[in-house]
Amino acid sequence: MTDIEKEIEKIKFQISLIGETIDHTSNPITALVISMNWNAKDLDSAHDIFEKYDRQLESSKEPNWHEFEHELREKFNIGYQTVKSIVLAFYRNHQWTRVCKLYAQAYECVELHEITRSKD
């Protein structure tokens, strides 16, 4: 490993530690980006997927939530638990809330109770 690679690894580690101190409730997108090791393009890709399903809702088309989940999993090479984290982050950031709420209702689970039991 070169000195540059060692420095990059050290910086990545330090940033991950900083990321752990960020309150995921107050700063959900920042915490998500750091925990997922995303860049701006990755975040844009996530927004694009949510926007696609929001447009379906706007056109009165019932989204296929299995496809929504599959798109996120495939795009980011993640599992089901991480999909829930992404949905929660956008919901907490007041983005794509309708998509988040309907997805959470379709896949009722403890982790998404924050969404399904909200009063909005």
Side-chain angles (χ1 to χ4, degrees), residues 75-110:
K75 175 65 184 170
F76 300 110
N77 193 29
I78 57 174
Y80 172 64
Q81 295 299 327
T82 308
V83 169
K84 292 186 282 189
S85 296
I86 294 169
V87 170
L88 279 168
F90 279 115
Y91 184 80
R92 288 173 178 156
N93 205 53
H94 309 288
Q95 294 176 295
W96 313 115
T97 54
R98 182 170 48 168
V99 171
C100 297
K101 188 149 188 107
L102 292 173
Y103 172 79
Q105 289 171 349
Y107 290 96
E108 180 69 32
C109 64
V110 172

Side-chain angles (χ1 to χ4, degrees), residues 37-101:
N37 193 30
W38 281 358
N39 59 29
K41 186 177 178 184
D42 293 325
L43 182 58
D44 287 344
S45 293
H47 278 290
D48 290 344
I49 292 170
F50 277 79
E51 182 178 16
K52 173 183 174 182
Y53 288 86
D54 189 59
R55 285 185 180 162
Q56 288 179 13
L57 290 168
E58 286 177 3
S59 68
S60 300
K61 179 181 177 188
E62 181 62 31
N64 181 327
W65 296 114
H66 179 73
E67 287 179 11
F68 169 77
E69 179 183 315
H70 180 74
E71 282 187 52
L72 287 169
R73 290 176 70 170
E74 189 172 288
K75 175 65 184 170
F76 300 110
N77 193 29
I78 57 174
Y80 172 64
Q81 295 299 327
T82 308
V83 169
K84 292 186 282 189
S85 296
I86 294 169
V87 170
L88 279 168
F90 279 115
Y91 184 80
R92 288 173 178 156
N93 205 53
H94 309 288
Q95 294 176 295
W96 313 115
T97 54
R98 182 170 48 168
V99 171
C100 297
K101 188 149 188 107

